Amino acid sequence: MSRSLLHVAVCGAGAFGRNHIRIYRDLEQQGAAASLAVPVRLAAIVESDPSRSQALHQELNVPVFTSIEDLLEARAQGQIIVDAVSVCVPTSQHAAVAAPLLEAGIDVLIEKPIAATREEAAALVALAAKNQRIVQVGHLERFNPAVAAMQDCLNGPMFFEAHRLSVFTPRALDVDVVLDLMIHDLDIVLSLAKSPVRDLHAVGLPILSGKVDIANVRVEFESGCVANFTASRVSTERVRKLRFFQPHQYVSIDYARQDLLVIDVSAAATGAAAGAPSTPAIPGLPAGLALQKPKVEPGEPLRLEIISFLESVSTRQTPRVSAEDGQAALDLALTINEAIAEHARRAGLDRFASPAIFRN
């Protein structure tokens, strides 16, 4: 690896990939102003669609390859340098794309979920360990500024409510709503609960696609912590919220607004004695409760995610969202899907199956 400059590539130039390209190019153009430990250069793009690849080459003036094999061949021949790659292809292709990159000694940032199956995820984890490569999984909400601000508020959360609702789009229909949307919240809660799953109950329905489009899940952890998840991609509104309760506190996060709210019982009861500043009365808030709005530094989560990845690549430190984290989130998501399928069989929900016109 060139320690004076990180050469990066993006594989897949669809909606997600274009955003990765935009941020890498922006960080490159900012140079030292980007405050990176090692400067970055967008060295190549992999895009299988001929018209799109040609347009990207003309627009960005960087090499564009139609396959991973072509990229690796050019690298082996010394035509380009590639230290790290963002893998932004459909989920079904994650393992096929990331595996040869890892075998070639290249670090990867893989869009969530890490892979389509448990076997593929395990193989990627093993390859990363064998080749001593960095694998970061793109669980974007870990880098949401509201989540970062929340870390100082944590005190053993025991009950979670997560809601993630979206208006229907034809994007990401190669996976169901659990792998598409809910997995963000599964990853966050797993990182906070820090306990194995004991039991779960799940229900889901296909509405406008051939896969489950709306799902509700209740998960109980060995610690006694409980989490309820609702995800829908057939909503009339866009909602991204997580609420949790912990001793003497209620914490609410609005991911979309990057907003954090804490209602504290103990602070209200002891604030005067401790000399804490009084909290203004809030309409509808019962007496004896104190409301806090911790400061949240605004920022684009994807940019923060990519910067964190580049720092891990340059320092060789374990990324904030490791391959093992991605593997754990995928395993829980697939367990939920299995529970949804079993409930559908038991309840005879096949009559809710989508019309053939919507199937992939």
Side-chain angles (χ1 to χ4, degrees):
M1 181 188 301
S2 172
R3 291 292 178 181
S4 60
L5 185 65
L6 285 178
H7 296 78
V8 300
V10 175
C11 182
F16 286 122
R18 284 303 300 240
N19 281 322
H20 282 247
I21 291 168
R22 168 180 60 82
I23 291 171
Y24 282 130
R25 176 51 64 93
D26 183 48
L27 293 173
E28 176 183 350
Q29 293 175 345
Q30 284 189 2
S35 300
L36 295 173
V38 178
V40 64
R41 173 178 296 166
L42 180 62
I45 297 169
V46 180
E47 173 52 53
S48 59
D49 182 88
S51 59
R52 187 181 293 170
S53 62
Q54 183 177 5
L56 286 167
H57 178 67
Q58 293 174 348
E59 175 188 352
L60 301 172
N61 193 30
V62 299
V64 181
F65 301 90
T66 58
S67 70
I68 282 293
E69 291 75 18
D70 290 344
L71 172 76
L72 293 176
E73 179 64 23
R75 179 176 180 264
Q77 294 181 4
Q79 298 172 9
I80 60 169
I81 300 173
V82 178
D83 301 313
V85 173
S86 279
V87 176
C88 306
V89 297
T91 301
S92 58
Q93 300 175 29
H94 281 185
V97 169
L101 293 171
L102 293 171
E103 289 173 338
I106 296 172
D107 300 312
V108 294
L109 167 56
I110 307 175
E111 272 291 353
K112 62 80 192 166
I114 185 173
T117 69
R118 293 182 177 93
E119 293 75 18
E120 289 176 348
L124 291 178
V125 169
L127 274 175
K130 175 184 176 183
N131 295 284
Q132 298 184 326
R133 291 299 94 197
I134 296 292
V135 173
Q136 179 171 308
V137 185
H139 287 287
L140 197 62
E141 299 295 18
R142 291 273 203 113
F143 301 89
N144 190 298
V147 173
M150 172 197 71
Q151 300 303 314
D152 291 336
C153 304
L154 294 177
N155 181 31
M158 289 299 292
F159 182 77
F160 294 89
E161 285 278 356
H163 290 83
R164 189 168 294 264
L165 316 177
S166 288
V167 177
F168 183 81
T169 70
R171 179 196 60 79
L173 293 186
D174 64 319
V175 294
D176 56 82
V177 73
V178 176
L179 289 172
D180 182 19
L181 299 181
M182 187 184 289
I183 196 167
H184 284 294
D185 300 304
L186 299 178
D187 172 67
I188 290 287
V189 171
L190 283 172
S191 72
L192 298 177
K194 301 184 185 304
S195 175
V197 172
R198 178 183 180 183
D199 193 19
L200 66 84
H201 300 274
V203 61
L205 295 171
I207 306 296
L208 292 177
S209 77
K211 301 182 184 297
V212 170
D213 294 313
I214 183 169
N216 180 261
V217 182
R218 181 184 186 277
V219 176
E220 181 179 350
F221 296 89
E222 291 287 353
S223 64
C225 176
V226 172
N228 293 324
F229 302 89
T230 297
S232 171
R233 54 187 183 190
V234 289
S235 174
T236 58
E237 58 182 337
R238 189 173 185 270
V239 177
R240 302 281 192 276
K241 292 185 178 181
L242 175 69
R243 304 173 181 90
F244 62 85
F245 296 83
Q246 57 189 11
H248 308 296
Q249 281 188 334
Y250 160 77
V251 180
S252 176
I253 298 173
D254 188 317
Y255 295 112
R257 296 174 56 190
Q258 298 185 6
D259 186 59
L260 176 62
L261 175 68
V262 180
I263 297 179
D264 198 317
V265 177
S266 59
T270 63
S278 60
T279 302
I282 297 176
L285 189 68
L289 299 181
L291 183 146
Q292 308 168 43
K293 286 185 69 71
K295 185 177 180 181
V296 177
E297 293 291 344
E300 182 183 2
L302 181 59
R303 179 186 174 92
L304 297 172
E305 175 185 271
I306 286 175
I307 289 174
S308 181
F309 170 60
L310 295 173
E311 290 174 348
S312 292
V313 170
S314 61
T315 64
R316 312 314 295 168
Q317 297 297 310
T318 301
R320 188 181 306 178
V321 186
S322 66
E324 290 81 4
D325 291 334
Q327 184 181 29
L330 175 67
D331 181 64
L332 179 54
L334 294 178
T335 300
I336 288 169
N337 278 339
E338 290 160 2
I340 288 174
E342 174 57 29
H343 175 267
R345 285 191 293 269
R346 191 169 62 250
L349 297 183
D350 57 312
R351 62 188 184 278
F352 283 92
S354 302
I357 189 172
F358 292 113
R359 296 187 185 279
N360 295 341

